[in-house]
Amino acid sequence: EGVRGPWACGPGARAAAVETAVFTLGFWGAAGLWLILVSFQNSFGALYAWVGAMIGAFMFGLASGTLLPRKNLRWILLAAVLWSLASGGVFALRSAPDFLLVLLHAMRAGGAGVLVGAGYVAAVDAVGPSSARVAGRLYALDVGGGVAGTLLAAGVLMPGHGAWALAAVCGLACG
């Protein structure tokens, strides 16, 4: 299918755009997972026993996302923006039954993982026939974005500006 729209340009510019998108999705995935964990703690007052379940849901989504057919990087980025907008609304559901909140948070974590996994595969596809070196570079950018997202979310945005600011940055990162 290839890259269309604003990314339909020369090979060098296209590769740079795809690399930026992969870094951004890695950032978004890590920062979004922090948003999920903080909103879960906000809903229940404790998080420790559920950290494994939330991270497990994210990782399951990550693996599942790589299996989706016909991944379009542009639609994945748009879905990430919409996910970020919807995530802010979870704070309004604090009075919902506990089982529903746990399920909702796990679905958010899994959905974020699906988008990151699908985005990585779409990026590899977008650069065309790729070698192990290209795939390795894209993976390094994905992980680098995840590290940046974790540090910014946990170290700056959440303590200094709160969950709404983090949700906004997640949405703007992919927008």
Side-chain angles (χ1 to χ4, degrees):
E1 178 178 335
V3 177
R4 296 184 180 154
W7 293 349
C9 47
R14 179 171 60 187
V18 168
E19 289 173 353
T20 300
V22 169
F23 181 86
T24 300
L25 277 170
F27 173 90
W28 174 85
L33 187 55
W34 266 102
L35 180 63
I36 291 165
L37 294 173
V38 168
S39 63
F40 188 93
Q41 182 170 336
N42 188 39
S43 296
F44 291 99
L47 174 66
Y48 308 109
W50 292 98
V51 168
M54 295 300 119
I55 293 174
F58 179 81
M59 298 305 287
F60 178 79
L62 189 63
S64 300
T66 65
L67 302 175
L68 291 176
R70 296 193 53 146
K71 297 155 201 71
N72 181 303
L73 194 52
R74 186 163 231 211
W75 285 107
I76 292 167
L77 291 170
L78 176 61
V81 170
L82 296 175
W83 180 97
S84 300
L85 293 173
S87 278
V90 170
F91 292 101
L93 299 174
R94 291 196 327 217
S95 61
D98 287 353
F99 76 91
L100 183 61
L101 286 173
V102 170
L103 181 62
L104 179 62
H105 288 294
M107 288 173 54
R108 288 173 56 218
V114 165
L115 292 173
V116 173
Y120 178 77
V121 174
V124 172
D125 288 345
V127 296
S130 60
S131 65
R133 172 177 244 142
V134 171
R137 179 172 171 73
L138 290 175
Y139 184 68
L141 287 165
D142 182 35
V143 171
V147 169
T150 299
L151 294 175
L152 187 63
V156 178
L157 290 172
M158 281 305 300
H161 305 287
W164 287 104
L166 179 54
V169 168
C170 284
L172 291 173
C174 290

